Amino acid sequence: MAIEIDLSGRVALVTGGSRGLGRADALTLARAGADVVVADILVESDTSAAEEYGVLAQAAVAQGMVHSEATVEEIRSLGRRALALRCDVTDRDEVAAAVARTVDELGSVDILVNNAGTLDHVGQFHDQRQELWERDLRVNLTGAFNCAQAVWPHMKERKWGRIVNMASVAGTLGGFGQASYSTTKAGLLGLTRTLAMEGGRHGITCNAIVPGIIGTEAFHMANAAMNERIANRTVFKRPGEPQDIANAIAFLCSDLAGYVTGIELNVSGGVELFVF
Ligand SMILES: NC(=O)c1ccc[n+]([C@@H]2O[C@H](COP(=O)([O-])OP(=O)(O)OC[C@H]3O[C@@H](n4cnc5c(N)ncnc54)[C@H](O)[C@@H]3O)[C@@H](O)[C@H]2O)c1
């Protein structure tokens, strides 16, 4: 019998699902059978948060890279139910409202992909601005905490849950010029292990994906020479594809991964290896 990833009957909430990895994750979970909520600070009908969220968010709006509602349409065309919700993961009221709407309209929340993240500044430590340090902690780390805490009672009640945190090799290896980013991604690994320990008795698993460099829109907007240097450190000498990440997430969210918890799954093309 062929083994397949079957998420039918599950409801997934993907943060930062408007573009890049989050969008690929949302579509892949839907293809595997899940109903999906795409939650992002940017939705086509409301991009007002771009002003506050800096250069990358503004470029995403200017260059037509906001796809929350379009992704939801695509998911619906697969026969799944889906919602696009404007939700800032740093705002606990907005997160609570998004989870409440998910449960009201789709019946439950079984899967959380903590994907929303910021990587829009690189600079050596002495130049790092405190307000960006604090914003990165708020979005990448506290945002994941807010979302996990909001879905936790629902998963506990149903005795089944999957939480996937999007870390980074910057969190495991450090990132030159990325003090705040790498700190938040390292912090997510502690949160992952702790939720794995506490979730076990409730049927909730929690795992981290550790991407290397993946060819998303954000990646292509970063410094090309830097991207090439990092790509050359992988064993494949190229960046990964968003689908590589989405495939790993679909597995971790399925019953096939019911005994997998607290791990850091590198989907990194071996960038952490010592490559000659
Ligand atoms: N692309 C890579 O090479 C790579 C490597 C390692 C880790 N990651 C991580 O994977 C995730 C996705 O990466 P990406 O390349 O698709 O990035 P991206 O910047 O293209 O996407 C991030 C998404 O999060 C949303 N977002 C930002 N702040 C938010 C907030 N406060 N509330 C809700 N949504 C918010 C953005 O609008 C955007 O849609 C991030 O957590 C990133 O750190 C990416």
Side-chain angles (χ1 to χ4, degrees):
M1 197 179 80
I3 289 181
E4 66 174 38
I5 290 174
D6 180 7
L7 300 178
S8 39
R10 305 292 185 199
V11 175
L13 175 66
V14 180
T15 69
S18 175
R19 62 173 190 259
L21 301 186
R23 175 173 148 76
D25 299 343
L27 287 167
T28 301
L29 295 176
R31 282 193 211 104
D35 297 323
V36 182
V37 175
V38 173
D40 203 290
I41 42 160
L42 300 176
V43 296
E44 288 88 326
S45 51
D46 183 357
T47 57
S48 53
E51 206 50 51
E52 183 196 342
Y53 269 91
V55 282
L56 186 57
Q58 287 155 26
V61 173
Q63 296 176 28
M65 295 188 316
V66 179
H67 306 296
S68 297
E69 287 155 3
T71 305
V72 157
E73 280 315 309
E74 218 173 316
I75 293 171
R76 288 184 180 144
S77 74
L78 298 169
R80 308 274 103 81
R81 296 176 301 161
L83 292 172
L85 300 181
R86 206 216 79 101
C87 172
D88 183 339
V89 296
T90 69
D91 183 324
R92 285 178 70 86
D93 292 337
E94 285 188 21
V95 170
V99 170
R101 247 191 98 184
T102 303
V103 174
D104 280 354
E105 295 193 28
L106 303 181
S108 63
V109 55
D110 309 297
I111 293 168
L112 168 67
V113 182
N114 271 323
N115 166 82
T118 51
L119 178 52
D120 56 4
H121 61 101
V122 177
Q124 288 188 45
F125 181 60
H126 55 264
D127 290 328
Q128 291 234 332
R129 284 167 35 211
Q130 190 189 342
E131 62 266 30
L132 287 178
W133 165 272
E134 284 172 354
R135 186 210 56 183
D136 290 349
L137 257 72
R138 265 198 317 275
V139 177
N140 300 358
L141 198 49
T142 309
F145 164 81
N146 290 340
C147 294
Q149 208 168 46
V151 300
W152 196 259
H154 299 282
M155 292 180 174
K156 222 170 124 176
E157 193 186 323
R158 286 167 63 88
K159 300 185 175 55
W160 198 96
R162 295 283 187 269
I163 298 176
V164 180
N165 294 325
M166 196 63 79
S168 167
V169 288
T172 51
L173 307 178
F176 191 92
Q178 299 182 333
S180 54
Y181 182 75
S182 64
T183 301
T184 61
K185 296 301 183 179
L188 278 176
L189 300 176
L191 181 68
T192 300
R193 294 186 199 112
T194 301
L195 297 193
M197 285 185 207
E198 295 189 17
R201 70 197 65 180
H202 306 300
I204 302 170
T205 70
C206 182
N207 293 293
I209 298 279
V210 181
I213 51 159
I214 312 294
T216 59
E217 297 94 324
F219 164 81
H220 290 298
M221 286 162 76
N223 181 290
M226 180 184 79
N227 286 346
E228 198 183 331
R229 277 201 306 278
I230 308 175
N232 280 332
R233 281 191 50 177
T234 69
V235 301
F236 303 119
K237 309 292 179 205
R238 61 169 176 82
E241 298 294 329
Q243 194 62 47
D244 295 320
I245 301 295
N247 292 344
I249 289 183
F251 165 69
L252 289 175
C253 292
S254 73
D255 284 321
L256 297 178
Y259 202 57
V260 179
T261 197
I263 67 158
E264 296 156 26
L265 178 53
N266 284 12
V267 186
S268 60
V271 75
E272 65 283 352
L273 302 175
F274 184 58
V275 178
F276 286 91

